[in-house]
Amino acid sequence: MNRRNFIKTAAAVTAGFYLNPVEIFGGKVMAAENLKWWQRTIVYQIYPKSFADTTGSGTGDLNGITAHLDYLKKLGVGAIWLTPVYPSPMVDNGYDISDYTAIDPAYGTMADFDRLISEGKKRGIKIVMDLVYNHSSDKHAWFLESKSSRNNPKADWYIWRDAKADGSAPTNWRSIFGGSAWTWCEERGQFYLHTFAKEQPDLNWENPAVRQALYDAANFWLDKGVGGFRIDAITYIKKPAEFVDGAPDGKDGLSHIHPLTANTRGILDFLHEFKRKVFDGHDIFTVGEANGVAADELNQWVGANGVFDMLFEFSHVLLPLKNGEIFCRPTPWKLTELKKALSDSQAATRTNGWCPVFFENHDRPRCVNYFFPKDANPVDAAKAMAAILLTLRGTPFIYEGQELGCTNVAWDSIDAYNDISSHAQYEFALNEGYTPEQALEFVHFFSRDNARTPMQWNDKKNAGFSSGTPWLPVNENFKTLNAAAEEKNSDSVLAWYRKLAKFRATHEELISGDFELLLPDDENIFAFSRTLGSKSITTVVNFSTKNIPLPAEFHGKKILIGRKSEDLKPLEIKFFG
Ligand code: NOJ
């Protein structure tokens, strides 16, 4: 896709017409024989703290992951994305790293890590590490040295600035976790910048020594045989040439940092160097977390001339924030918008680059609660999302527990929440004038803890996650919603995921076939086809909670999976061939 074509699409869509990407973009999709291993596999994301605890500490560990590799194998998983397992004070549960080339003792030892790699290898499962390179922990030796004086050898490894003449912070930027993005450091008599929490100071990528130290750390993990990297918050690494105040956008008088510092000019130069010095020449995949990259820029970020293999693009999961809200509260959205967001990213990577397909991760609520009304049957809703996830074009990412249909929690006090951003969101809502009850309701809907409750393995103590006290309470529905129960039930969400994983692996059209959105204006049905030569599979999902007629174009078509009928029950799924 080139920029002009994309603009044409955007214009067509804004004008109220929906043009199918295939008609607009033309060109050939990547041939089946050119696809790499990671374009054919399923990636499973593990939040190690919550996956499986083998020591009774209440925190999951690496050996817990190794113990469940066969479970993942049965799900068709070929790679595990591990959220950070490095030493960390855990202010942001590992996204505040104090040593880039070691394992946090809470998760085990380097020998445990090596065993995970080798046991994974035996089963064809690679381990993908999370690189958190925009910031480190404020307890990292680099920061401790940097903050100690203005002239130490690491003095400019982070972003330091003098106060304004009146002693206030250098700019009015609000950090992503709330409050000023600047924190005063007594030793240096200066402020340092942190896009996230004050315990996560931003590294200074302008300094070549910083960049080299980060590349060395990534190469350390490549030498250990990892299968790739997920690269955290990468759009923030290049700061703007000038630091200027933004227009205040909240009652705190601050201005959200994201639009002011994300994806600034020159960032791709850093990333091309990163690619050259780390990724090139390895049979791995890279997926960047790239909030702030517009669809018309994607071809500079992924594909032949890009820097990563894939990019997490968030427009479909940020639909409830479409009004540009800077804090999270549920906002109505339409199915047509979800379909458009997903088909735009399919189109943007149709002939260049590749798409990671996901509905959940450790920062998102459970999709069953997020995308469906309260009266939707949660099992059917989970299966509906699975049907879409596993038949769209791209590499599916399953987040732990999603394959069981796990649901959100709703704790009755903000104090029960661990997630740093839930607390920030709650405070922000209060400052904006919402009542504590309303603010807590927003937290119920959006909290990252929804996805971080311990994995529900069985109906025993703590859902079989730990023999100790779990670091975060188990969702109380574990007695009925757990992996052991679903193993025994051929109609479970888990059984459905396994069936679809096989369906995908055995139908090449679902891997390399072209994508076409069908019925783009329909507010009830999500339908699309995947076509390769003369073979084609059509996914049809009734996304609504009402009974609707099956559209005429599907009458008489061959059913591959599903019920033969001329109607669609609430959340019913059919695959036609
Ligand atoms: C994105 C990660 O997914 C999130 O969990 C983390 O809090 C921020 N980046 C900061 O590293």
Side-chain angles (χ1 to χ4, degrees), residues 92 95 132 135 177 196 200 230 232-233 289 362-363 448 452:
D92 188 16
Y95 284 91
V132 187
H135 46 269
F177 290 155
F196 296 89
Q200 295 168 297
R230 178 264 187 184
D232 185 72
E289 188 203 28
H362 63 295
D363 294 333
R448 305 192 301 179
R452 299 176 180 184

Side-chain angles (χ1 to χ4, degrees), residues 317-318 320-321 328 330 358-371 385 399-400 402 406-409 419 442-452:
V317 290
L318 292 181
L321 294 179
C328 304
F358 74 101
F359 296 121
E360 288 189 12
N361 65 32
H362 63 295
D363 294 333
R364 314 289 332 152
R366 293 297 187 173
C367 65
V368 165
N369 301 91
Y370 194 64
F371 289 108
M385 291 315 275
Y399 177 72
E400 65 181 42
Q402 183 178 352
C406 281
T407 60
N408 284 353
V409 285
D419 167 28
F442 300 157
V443 168
H444 288 166
F445 190 62
F446 275 99
S447 176
R448 305 192 301 179
D449 282 349
N450 284 315
R452 299 176 180 184

Side-chain angles (χ1 to χ4, degrees), residues 329-395:
R329 60 173 184 169
T331 308
W333 55 276
K334 293 185 185 148
L335 179 63
T336 44
E337 293 172 310
L338 176 65
K339 294 196 289 191
K340 183 179 140 23
L342 285 167
S343 47
D344 279 356
S345 48
Q346 295 275 311
T349 49
R350 180 173 177 263
T351 56
N352 182 51
W354 193 252
C355 188
V357 186
F358 74 101
F359 296 121
E360 288 189 12
N361 65 32
H362 63 295
D363 294 333
R364 314 289 332 152
R366 293 297 187 173
C367 65
V368 165
N369 301 91
Y370 194 64
F371 289 108
F372 298 91
K374 286 205 171 89
D375 64 339
N377 174 318
V379 170
D380 293 343
K383 289 181 179 175
M385 291 315 275
I388 295 167
L389 179 76
L390 292 167
T391 59
L392 278 174
R393 187 164 190 272
T395 301

Side-chain angles (χ1 to χ4, degrees), residues 70-139:
D70 289 332
Y71 169 84
L72 299 180
K73 182 85 201 140
K74 271 188 161 173
L75 204 55
V77 167
I80 295 171
W81 156 22
L82 272 189
T83 62
V85 288
Y86 318 98
S88 162
M90 299 284 166
V91 170
D92 188 16
N93 287 323
Y95 284 91
D96 47 323
I97 297 170
S98 53
D99 183 346
Y100 285 103
T101 52
I103 296 292
D104 192 295
Y107 294 134
T109 62
M110 194 58 89
D112 296 338
F113 181 83
D114 292 338
R115 200 165 71 84
L116 173 60
I117 295 258
S118 62
E119 288 298 317
K121 197 168 176 191
K122 286 183 197 158
R123 296 164 177 84
I125 299 177
K126 307 201 189 206
I127 304 300
V128 171
M129 300 299 272
D130 207 321
L131 297 182
V132 187
Y133 279 2
N134 172 67
H135 46 269
S136 73
S137 160
D138 63 341
K139 301 295 181 297

Side-chain angles (χ1 to χ4, degrees), residues 123-193:
R123 296 164 177 84
I125 299 177
K126 307 201 189 206
I127 304 300
V128 171
M129 300 299 272
D130 207 321
L131 297 182
V132 187
Y133 279 2
N134 172 67
H135 46 269
S136 73
S137 160
D138 63 341
K139 301 295 181 297
H140 195 296
W142 298 343
F143 187 74
L144 296 178
E145 186 172 353
S146 189
K147 77 173 204 180
S148 64
S149 69
R150 291 192 188 201
N151 55 9
N152 67 74
K154 298 212 165 38
D156 62 349
W157 277 46
Y158 293 82
I159 318 275
W160 296 97
R161 289 288 185 281
D162 293 334
K164 278 184 182 159
D166 65 358
S168 62
T171 64
N172 69 345
W173 300 345
R174 182 191 307 107
S175 77
I176 287 175
F177 290 155
S180 172
W182 296 96
T183 289
W184 178 253
C185 170
E186 212 49 63
E187 289 107 308
R188 279 184 67 137
Q190 280 185 310
F191 282 93
Y192 65 88
L193 180 69

